[in-house]
Amino acid sequence: MDDPRLTPARPDLAARYLEGKVSAARFVDGETFEVITPLAPLRDAPRADAMLQTEALKSERVTIYDRPDPNNRGDGWAWGQLESDGYVGWLPDAALAPAGPAPTHKITALRTFVFPGPSIKLPPRAALTLGTTLAIARIAENFAIAHDGGYLPARHLAPRDQNEPDFVAVAERFVGVPYLWGGKSSLGIDCSGLVQVSLAAAGIRAPRDSDMQEASLGSDVPLAQIAHLKRGDLLFWKGHVAIARDASTLVHANAHHMATAIEPTHAAIARIAAAGSPVRRIKRL
């Protein structure tokens, strides 16, 4: 079978497009939903204590193949596949709703608030993180009004197709954000999440996990050239990725600092190698 992280197939159920390619008791077409909470965890099992694989941001589209009985939803879990990067897993059903208008704008601030009206003195309705997409109905003075009625600072948004010129500068803005396995927001992020979110801000789609990124992004740079890294080069270890800022420093979300941090490249390489994992690949975008 293909990578299970990207293949919506279980022994009892699979996506219709996989019929004839995988074995399952039944195949279904799925239905498109969107995330309606600021963040939705995607877990590897339908339990709140299951491992966090990744996160979906508000308005992200998800094809759902299995969800709780609509007459008894409770705190049930829905099983599906994210549209943005194809990741498969379980999301809280309460975080989903039928897809509404297509997003038109994206959050460019590290975090911003959604207010119930056109005043920053009102109690915020929610906090959204960089990269979140929204359907904006109109912009009036200093506020962007979303289709769901929320008011956001207009200066914290940009058209969805407007891209950042330097994805490394985006990654640097996350310095100090706590490390979170499976996280991809300014509330908590992991190494590959940092790469994915930063590249997305620059208009470059990237897969979710570091091994996928290693396999698909950029072209190889010989390891012998490690002293001559260029800004934006990606360094890969087993289970880890970092972004070169220049020839001598890098930025990465890591469990040593339990945060996104900037440090000398040679220090990071030596520390990780001492733990049994030497740099195994450099990729240049």
Side-chain angles (χ1 to χ4, degrees), residues 65-92:
Y65 298 102
D66 185 17
R67 65 192 302 242
D69 182 342
N71 297 317
N72 186 29
R73 290 173 64 180
D75 294 323
W77 293 80
W79 182 73
Q81 184 170 33
L82 302 182
E83 182 181 283
S84 61
D85 58 21
Y87 223 108
V88 175
W90 297 88
L91 301 106

Side-chain angles (χ1 to χ4, degrees), residues 5 14 23 29 43 56 62 98 106 125 141 159 172 217 223 233:
R5 295 170 295 180
S23 296
D29 291 321
R43 301 190 183 279
V62 189
K106 60 185 177 182
R125 178 190 292 179
E141 296 183 356
E172 291 168 338
L217 294 177
L223 290 177
D233 285 350

Side-chain angles (χ1 to χ4, degrees), residues 260-277:
T260 297
I262 292 172
E263 65 177 316
T265 302
H266 68 85
I269 290 174
R271 184 182 69 252
I272 300 171
S277 183

Side-chain angles (χ1 to χ4, degrees), residues 33-35 55-62 82 84 184:
F33 285 78
E34 69 171 294
V35 174
E55 293 176 313
L57 307 184
K58 181 176 172 61
S59 298
E60 187 163 352
R61 270 40 179 177
V62 189
L82 302 182
S84 61
K184 54 180 286 186

Side-chain angles (χ1 to χ4, degrees), residues 14 26-27 39 70 81 83 88 101 123 135 159-160 166 229 252 260-261 276 281 285:
R26 63 189 180 98
F27 295 85
L39 287 171
Q81 184 170 33
E83 182 181 283
V88 175
R160 193 177 182 185
D166 180 6
L229 296 173
H252 58 155
T260 297
R281 204 166 186 183
L285 302 178

Side-chain angles (χ1 to χ4, degrees), residues 168 172 226 229-233 235 242-252 261-268:
V168 184
E172 291 168 338
I226 202 163
L229 296 173
K230 294 184 178 181
R231 186 172 178 85
D233 285 350
L235 290 79
I243 304 166
R245 299 175 64 244
D246 49 38
S248 59
T249 62
L250 53 76
V251 57
H252 58 155
I262 292 172
E263 65 177 316
T265 302
H266 68 85

